[in-house]
Amino acid sequence: MASLVLHDQLDDLLQVLPEHMRAGVIEKGEMIRQIYLKIMKEGTEYYERNKHLQQKEFALKAIEELGRGSDTFSIAMGMYAGHFNEEKFIEGFIAKKRWEVSN
């Protein structure tokens, strides 16, 4: 379901679900989307605020403030290095069920 939500394809699922299940699916989908958008926003904003730093400074500051391996760190460092791939990030977000960890 998360993949459908993040690829704007949830409507396809909703069309085949019984009416009594739709509200729950919509609610869960909105929760997943909001957590994803929050993480993306935090990573992007961190990058924008600190992109003027040299790479080593950026990395050290990001490790200290965001934590190595955090989602926001991955986004910010990927953007800084010019190799952030949102589709790969979505795949990891889904595989690790990040919406469950964030709650």
Side-chain angles (χ1 to χ4, degrees):
M1 183 177 97
S3 181
L4 294 174
V5 169
L6 298 176
H7 291 101
D8 293 321
Q9 299 171 343
L10 188 59
D11 288 344
D12 297 340
L13 175 62
L14 293 174
Q15 290 178 8
V16 297
L17 283 178
E19 184 69 36
H20 69 279
M21 295 178 70
R22 290 181 189 164
V25 169
I26 290 169
E27 183 178 325
K28 176 104 177 181
E30 188 57 30
M31 183 257 312
I32 291 169
R33 180 182 305 284
Q34 290 305 314
I35 291 170
Y36 174 79
L37 291 174
K38 179 180 181 280
I39 292 169
M40 283 298 299
K41 180 180 179 194
E42 290 170 355
T44 302
E45 287 177 350
Y46 189 87
Y47 163 72
E48 289 296 331
R49 281 192 313 273
N50 296 287
K51 66 184 177 183
H52 65 280
L53 298 173
Q54 295 296 318
Q55 185 171 1
K56 185 175 181 179
E57 293 173 296
F58 185 95
L60 291 173
K61 184 177 181 182
I63 288 169
E64 181 181 318
E65 294 179 359
L66 303 175
R68 181 186 298 249
S70 72
D71 290 328
T72 49
F73 176 83
S74 298
I75 293 166
M77 280 304 299
M79 288 180 165
Y80 186 91
H83 62 73
F84 178 70
N85 182 320
E86 189 170 2
E87 189 56 40
K88 281 185 137 183
F89 182 77
I90 288 173
E91 289 173 15
F93 179 87
I94 293 168
K96 296 173 185 171
K97 297 183 178 182
R98 289 299 200 208
W99 58 93
E100 293 177 357
V101 181
S102 295
N103 275 344

